[in-house]
């Protein structure tokens, strides 16, 4: 007979005593259970005690969190959070240095516990820590533990960051600005400043006045703190008022970070990041990749103002830019003196330049996006790559009318497309690591990217022998060429050019045909019958691959902290497919994590279902935070008995498909992800080709016919690199 749902069997430890094995009734008051445990060891004053987990983060157990206790959990009897907070507060104010150091070390560990944090904060503990920092008398380990505790306590969002004093900010900024400061102190100081900026508008201005671009750029050469430095740069960049992002100063490295967008400052920052981070001798971890992605997004977002600015047809300065485009392209031709002749000539030139409105091309730039950004791109091409610009314009103006590529119209539509592909104007996505190294290799990366793509468009137009009616078809092909090339993550603009050369129109057609093979080919009844016969064994093959992948396990990042710190947990399926093992990790693992290091487990027999997206409990809880679409699409949860959940956010779409499919296979349900459908189509097509090839190679002799050889089945393996 199974035990009652409300009863969990646990072990409770106490130093110097034998552990007590008890059956904990979850309907019974926690204080009553603690009293009974204390009586078992003859301990008086049970109200001064509490229960904590013995493993992992060792959090305190409360009435709200007790439902998370599982059968077989090891607990520990400890002094209550209030008593612990009181004792630590007294010890960190004591005169003995050793005692204070030990107290701060313990406080740094306990501060991550929300129950303890609430008690410590209620005793004015944060104010005490702030005064210790402001005094400037703490150094080394003692200061590092103090800053760690402060940051952990503030992370619980119990008190507002607005209460932080200016003297505290100056002291923290001082640690960042000092040349010889311990790495652990620098890491925590940068993290505290980042949290201040992200959580308080008023503190943003104070921090921005204390920290300069040059001071933070100087830290990027240190691999142990460069992630924290870029995170702070991003935070200041993100919170900077719009009108402050575009300003330029005489000496950009001495300017506050509110003027982060200064051209010279960006050049120096880009160069340091390229040489010390992207091309450094260490692999880029997930957190650094995210920060590089955020910096890339924020940099491109500087284009949003121009992208959303319409051209004023009556603005002479703006019209002069169009005149300049005409002059550079057709400078060799005589400029007639008569007004009517000049107007007629200009109209002819504007038509040759490919504008939609030949009389007043300024109206071509009144739609947003791309607005004036398209004109900026065209002028950059004309001035910096003048030979290329003239060649494109003159080459098309001398073609037959029906095959000319309209440069102006193409440049405007291409700019709009690039803005969509690179999501100009959109805020960074939480958890996204999709940065492109090539954008850090050039001071004018956006403009150079446009110049590469406009040449690609012109080349593709010729390959397709397109006419004006084919404009949208050409743009679709060019979009596919660009997105496929970007997916290969070229490390430089030259590499991008090489990738695009390999993705000519013929190659795009070949790729499309290959990808459509399962849909368009093999439609005859015998082939359909063969496909249906093959499908079950291919599905079983995919199922085994998914389960094998679950046995290897995956690392997931914890969400929820307001500051981005690398906190991970790992989950893997037992080799006999009967238990899911999981547990917290200090850092992202480089390979497989042994089962012994994963302290928690769920029997597969207890799993009731798997839910995804907005149906996940952790997505419903975070609805108020306006979870972005990408996180929602990567979320899934395992629901198991009695009413428990294990919540996941996959690191990418591939891992999401692998895990949701694998869990469905584990529960005997249909695997329905896009990845499974793609794998199924690809593998069936390949197997059918092999079998059909075998049939084509069979020769039929006059007599007697030999027994046909059974075609070998296709072996399918995945490359997990």
């Amino acid at each position: 007979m199974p035990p009652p749902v409300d009863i969990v069997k646990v072990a409770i430890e106490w130093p110097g005593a034998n552990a007590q094995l008890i059956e904990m009734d979850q309907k019974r008051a926690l204080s009553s259970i603690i009293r009974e445990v204390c009586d078992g060891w003859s301990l008086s004053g049970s109200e001064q005690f509490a229960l904590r987990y013995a493993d992992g983060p060792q959090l305190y157990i409360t009435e709200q969190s007790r439902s998370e206790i599982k059968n077989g959990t090891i607990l520990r009897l400890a002094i209550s959070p209030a008593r612990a907070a009181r004792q630590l507060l007294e010890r960190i104010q004591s005169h003995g240095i050793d005692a204070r150091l030990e107290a701060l070390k313990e406080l740094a560990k306990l501060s991550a516990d929300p129950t303890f944090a609430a008690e410590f904060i209620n005793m004015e503990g944060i104010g005490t820590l702030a005064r210790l920092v402001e005094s400037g008398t703490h150094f080394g380990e003692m200061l590092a533990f103090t800053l760690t505790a402060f940051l952990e306590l503030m992370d619980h969002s119990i008190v507002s960051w607005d209460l932080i004093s200016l003297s505290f900010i100056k002291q923290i900024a001082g640690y960042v600005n000092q040349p010889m400061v311990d790495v652990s102190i620098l890491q925590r100081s940068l993290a505290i400043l980042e949290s201040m900026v992200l959580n308080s508008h008023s503190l943003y201005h104070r921090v921005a006045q204390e920290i300069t671009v040059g001071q933070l750029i100087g830290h990027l050469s240190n691999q142990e703190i460069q992630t924290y430095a870029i995170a702070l740069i991003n935070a200041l960049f993100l919170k900077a008022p719009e009108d402050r992002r575009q300003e330029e100063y005489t000496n950009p490295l001495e300017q506050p970070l509110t003027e982060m967008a200064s051209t010279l400052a960006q050049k120096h920052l880009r160069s340091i990041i390229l040489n010390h981070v992207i091309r450094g001798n260490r692999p880029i971890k997930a957190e650094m990749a995210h920060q590089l992605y955020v910096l890339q997004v924020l940099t491109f977002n500087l284009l949003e103002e121009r992208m959303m600015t319409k051209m004023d047809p009556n603005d002479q300065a703006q019209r002069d830019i169009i005149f300049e485009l005409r002059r550079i392209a057709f400078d060799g031709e005589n400029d007639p003196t008569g007004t009517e002749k000049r107007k007629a000539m200009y109209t002819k030139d504007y038509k040759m330049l490919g504008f939609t409105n030949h009389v007043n091309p300024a109206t071509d730039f009144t739609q947003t996006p791309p607005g004036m950004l398209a004109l900026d791109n065209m002028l950059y091409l004309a001035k910096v790559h003048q030979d290329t610009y003239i060649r494109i314009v003159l080459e098309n103006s001398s073609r037959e009318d029906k095959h000319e590529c309209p440069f102006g119209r193409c440049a405007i539509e291409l700019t709009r497309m690039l803005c969509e592909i690179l999501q100009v104007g959109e805020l960074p996505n939480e958890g996204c690591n999709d940065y492109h190294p090539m954008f850090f290799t050039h001071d004018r990366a956006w403009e150079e990217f446009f110049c590469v793509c406009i040449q690609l468009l012109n080349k593709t137009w010729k390959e397709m022998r397109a006419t004006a009616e084919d404009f949208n078809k050409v743009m679709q092909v060019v979009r596919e060429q660009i997105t496929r090339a970007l997916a290969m993550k070229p490390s430089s603009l030259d590499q991008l050019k090489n990738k695009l050369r390999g993705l000519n129109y013929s190659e795009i057609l070949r790729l499309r045909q290959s990808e459509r093979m399962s849909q368009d080919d093999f439609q005859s009844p015998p082939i359909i019958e063969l496909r249906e016969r093959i499908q079950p064994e291919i599905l079983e093959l995919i199922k085994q691959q998914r389960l094998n992948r679950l046995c290897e396990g995956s690392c997931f990042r914890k969400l929820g902290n307001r500051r981005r710190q690398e906190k991970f947990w790992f989950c893997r399926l037992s080799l006999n497919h009967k238990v899911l093992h999981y547990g917290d990790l200090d850092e992202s693992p480089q390979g497989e994590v042994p089962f012994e290091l994963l302290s928690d487990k769920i029997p597969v027999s207890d799993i009731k279902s798997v839910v995804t997206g907005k149906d996940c409990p952790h997505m419903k809880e975070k609805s108020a935070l306006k979870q972005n679409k990408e996180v929602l699409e990567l979320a899934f949860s395992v629901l198991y008995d009695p009413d428990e959940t294990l919540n996941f956010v996959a690191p990418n779409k591939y891992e999401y498909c692998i895990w949701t499919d694998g869990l469905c296979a584990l529960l005997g349900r249909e695997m329905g992800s896009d990845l499974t459908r793609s794998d199924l189509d690809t593998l069936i097509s390949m197997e059918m080709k092999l079998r059909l090839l075998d049939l084509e190679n069979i020769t039929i002799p006059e007599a007697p016919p030999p027994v046909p050889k059974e075609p070998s089945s296709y072996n399918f393996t995945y490359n997990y690199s």
Side-chain angles (χ1 to χ4, degrees), residues 526-538 691:
I527 299 298
I528 292 174
E529 182 182 347
L530 176 60
R531 179 187 178 89
E532 291 173 352
R533 189 184 306 169
I534 292 172
Q535 183 162 319
E537 63 183 85
I538 298 296
R691 297 193 181 191

Side-chain angles (χ1 to χ4, degrees), residues 640-657:
Y640 60 99
D641 289 332
D643 289 306
E644 305 294 336
T645 62
L646 183 62
N647 298 318
F648 299 74
V649 175
N652 51 55
K653 193 67 177 176
Y654 175 78
E655 289 290 334
Y656 171 84
C657 293

Side-chain angles (χ1 to χ4, degrees), residues 458-474:
N458 187 60
K459 174 172 168 284
T460 302
W461 187 283
K462 288 189 289 185
E463 291 173 349
M464 294 177 67
R465 294 192 55 78
T467 63
E469 289 76 20
D470 301 317
F471 183 85
N472 290 333
K473 292 179 183 178
V474 175

Side-chain angles (χ1 to χ4, degrees), residues 101 137-147 181-182 184-185:
L101 178 61
T137 57
H138 284 54
F139 305 98
E141 270 193 315
M142 192 174 293
L143 178 58
F145 288 133
T146 304
L147 296 178
V181 177
D182 186 75
S184 60
I185 294 172

Side-chain angles (χ1 to χ4, degrees), residues 63-232:
E63 291 289 355
Q64 291 73 33
S65 66
R66 63 185 296 180
S67 60
E68 299 173 10
I69 301 174
K70 309 292 187 301
N71 277 315
T73 302
I74 301 175
L75 306 179
R76 180 175 297 158
L77 186 67
I79 60 174
S80 67
R83 185 179 172 190
R86 194 179 309 108
Q87 289 181 358
L88 285 175
L89 199 56
E90 292 171 357
R91 287 164 59 196
I92 63 177
Q93 297 178 85
S94 65
H95 296 293
I97 294 178
D98 291 340
R100 192 185 306 172
L101 178 61
E102 285 302 314
L104 287 168
K105 185 176 181 179
E106 189 176 344
L107 177 63
K109 184 178 179 181
L110 274 174
S111 295
D113 189 308
T115 309
F116 170 84
E119 296 289 349
F120 189 81
I121 291 171
N122 286 338
M123 297 176 186
E124 304 296 329
I126 285 183
T128 302
L129 293 178
R131 287 190 291 274
L132 290 175
V133 174
E134 291 169 10
S135 68
T137 57
H138 284 54
F139 305 98
E141 270 193 315
M142 192 174 293
L143 178 58
F145 288 133
T146 304
L147 296 178
T148 300
F150 179 86
L151 190 56
E152 290 286 0
L153 290 167
M154 292 300 295
D155 251 355
H156 295 291
S157 303
I158 297 173
V159 295
S160 171
W161 282 91
D162 288 318
L163 300 176
I164 303 302
S165 67
L166 182 59
S167 59
F168 181 84
I169 297 172
K170 287 181 175 292
Q171 190 68 38
I172 297 296
Y175 298 137
V176 174
N177 297 335
Q178 289 176 19
M180 300 295 291
V181 177
D182 186 75
V183 167
S184 60
I185 294 172
L186 264 177
Q187 289 175 338
R188 288 153 181 79
S189 298
L190 289 166
I192 288 172
L193 292 173
E194 181 198 357
S195 291
M196 288 179 181
V197 171
L198 293 176
N199 290 286
S200 170
H201 181 70
S202 61
L203 291 189
Y204 155 75
H205 290 285
R206 294 179 180 178
V207 172
Q209 290 170 0
E210 299 293 330
I211 302 293
T212 66
V213 179
Q215 289 160 347
L216 286 180
I217 288 178
H219 291 306
L220 295 179
S221 57
N222 186 332
Q223 293 180 328
E224 293 183 273
I225 59 174
Q226 55 191 198
T227 303
Y228 296 86
I230 293 181
L232 178 54

Side-chain angles (χ1 to χ4, degrees), residues 152 176 229 260 308 394 422 483-484 494 510 533 558 682 715:
E152 290 286 0
V176 174
M260 220 333 270
M308 300 307 295
L394 296 184
L422 296 176
T483 52
R484 285 182 184 272
D494 286 337
R510 189 193 68 78
R533 189 184 306 169
K558 286 194 171 184
T682 301
N715 292 320

